[in-house]
Amino acid sequence: MTAADATHGARPASAGRAPAGAGSGSEPARGAARDAVRETARETVPEADRVSEPESEVLLQLRGVGKHFGSVRALSDINLDIHAGKVTALVGDNGAGKSTLIKAIAGIAAPDEGEMLWQGRSVHIRTPKDATDLGIATVYQDLALCDNLDIVQNMFLGREQLKHRLLDESAMESGAKSALAELSVVTVRSIRQVVGSLSGGQRQAVAVAKAVMGNAKLVIMDEPTAALGVSQTAMVLELITRLTEREIAVFVISHNLTDVFSVADYVAVLYLGRLAAVGPIAQFDTQNTVELITTGSSDRFNHSAVPVGATGIDLKG
């Protein structure tokens, strides 16, 4: 991704998203955009289900994580904290190591070095089942949905419910409706609608609902707004916010900086397999983020302004 891609490739602002100029260095503008998205989502969350705003728990910690494929170092010395109920955005150029990092967390490509701590306890995530058992759900860019099956069949694929050795269609329909309702997905005409007939935003909602049905505590989303229109993108951003309202952590990988500045609480920038910078969203704007993505450093990124411990590590340029 070039600087031009990052700046000119962003979608136009829409309702509930960053307005023109967001990410241009104006923290009030970015804050207002995030608040607008979150308030829209909050309005759909029942009062009883809303979560108060205590200091967020560090859910997942990566310490010195590295991964190599033969002589190629895909990741080196990754130190990162992911907080419960917060959105951490991972950005970087093509080949920076983003996919390798999420695969390491998801149990697809176990790291060769370093340590992962889940709620303060050292864990070894060697398979996708290990990740699922901990409460980590991954929604990949292709969504892993079957277009020829309906919503219920997709959401329970591989974990069908049985009654008297037959599919318990009633229980699965009820479970699917409940999962979609909890995320305030109201645009789906019928839960028996074939997934291939859904819009991009609706498909993303089904994939996320399927992921959180297993009591997920961390949802990883790989390019969730790629190839979506403005209204569908707004729907996905509100979906991300509704997850955080329930104290579910979201780790989102995106090339779209407008989307990042709309919903992220923390930003991590990867450059050639290393973390170029990581910190609260307040320390980033479009210019220094693009510089970090394309060169690995930025004179405009104020390391000393980031409180040590905000992300669990000291920042390095």
Side-chain angles (χ1 to χ4, degrees), residues 123-147:
V123 294
H124 299 282
I125 306 176
R126 295 190 174 93
T127 67
K129 185 179 184 304
D130 292 339
T132 301
D133 289 345
L134 288 173
I136 300 173
T138 305
V139 181
Y140 295 99
Q141 189 171 349
D142 62 7
L143 301 181
L145 297 175
C146 298
D147 288 349

Side-chain angles (χ1 to χ4, degrees), residues 152-153 161 166-174 192:
V152 175
Q153 291 169 329
Q161 296 185 10
L166 298 175
L167 290 176
D168 192 344
E169 299 285 357
S170 178
M172 290 190 291
E173 285 188 5
S174 177
R192 285 302 184 179

Side-chain angles (χ1 to χ4, degrees), residues 58-71:
V58 178
L59 190 64
L60 176 66
Q61 296 170 284
L62 309 183
R63 293 292 176 264
V65 167
K67 179 68 179 177
H68 62 82
F69 298 96
S71 60

Side-chain angles (χ1 to χ4, degrees), residues 54-279:
E55 185 176 348
S56 61
E57 169 195 6
V58 178
L59 190 64
L60 176 66
Q61 296 170 284
L62 309 183
R63 293 292 176 264
V65 167
K67 179 68 179 177
H68 62 82
F69 298 96
S71 60
V72 177
R73 295 285 300 183
L75 296 173
S76 298
D77 195 28
I78 301 297
N79 295 279
L80 179 66
D81 288 357
I82 297 177
H83 298 254
K86 301 294 182 182
V87 179
T88 302
L90 180 67
V91 298
D93 208 344
N94 293 330
K98 302 187 300 298
S99 294
T100 302
L101 181 56
I102 65 173
K103 287 178 180 178
I105 298 173
I108 295 175
D112 299 312
E113 57 195 40
E115 182 181 27
M116 294 189 190
L117 293 94
W118 180 259
Q119 296 180 312
R121 177 174 58 89
S122 180
V123 294
H124 299 282
I125 306 176
R126 295 190 174 93
T127 67
K129 185 179 184 304
D130 292 339
T132 301
D133 289 345
L134 288 173
I136 300 173
T138 305
V139 181
Y140 295 99
Q141 189 171 349
D142 62 7
L143 301 181
L145 297 175
C146 298
D147 288 349
N148 61 320
L149 301 181
D150 62 35
I151 293 173
V152 175
Q153 291 169 329
N154 267 280
M155 292 181 67
F156 284 91
L157 190 62
R159 51 183 175 185
E160 292 81 1
Q161 296 185 10
L162 302 178
K163 184 177 182 180
H164 306 305
R165 298 186 180 182
L166 298 175
L167 290 176
D168 192 344
E169 299 285 357
S170 178
M172 290 190 291
E173 285 188 5
S174 177
K177 285 180 180 178
S178 177
L180 291 171
E182 287 177 3
L183 295 176
S184 300
V185 179
V186 296
T187 60
V188 175
R189 187 170 64 251
S190 167
I191 57 171
R192 285 302 184 179
Q193 188 174 349
V194 176
V195 163
S197 68
L198 301 177
S199 70
Q202 291 171 328
R203 289 166 59 87
Q204 189 72 238
V206 170
V208 171
K210 177 181 178 180
V212 300
M213 279 180 63
N215 297 318
K217 298 177 181 178
L218 166 62
V219 175
I220 302 172
M221 303 180 72
D222 185 11
E223 297 287 355
T225 60
L228 296 185
V230 172
S231 61
Q232 295 174 357
T233 295
M235 174 183 172
V236 172
L237 296 181
E238 290 173 11
L239 184 64
I240 290 173
T241 303
R242 282 194 288 272
L243 292 175
T244 64
E245 291 287 347
R246 291 177 169 79
E247 282 299 286
I248 296 175
V250 180
F251 190 37
V252 59
I253 292 80
S254 179
H255 278 92
N256 191 313
L257 296 186
T258 301
D259 295 348
V260 167
F261 283 110
S262 293
V263 296
D265 298 291
Y266 297 94
V267 175
V269 183
L270 272 179
Y271 179 75
L272 299 180
R274 292 181 177 273
L275 276 176
V278 56

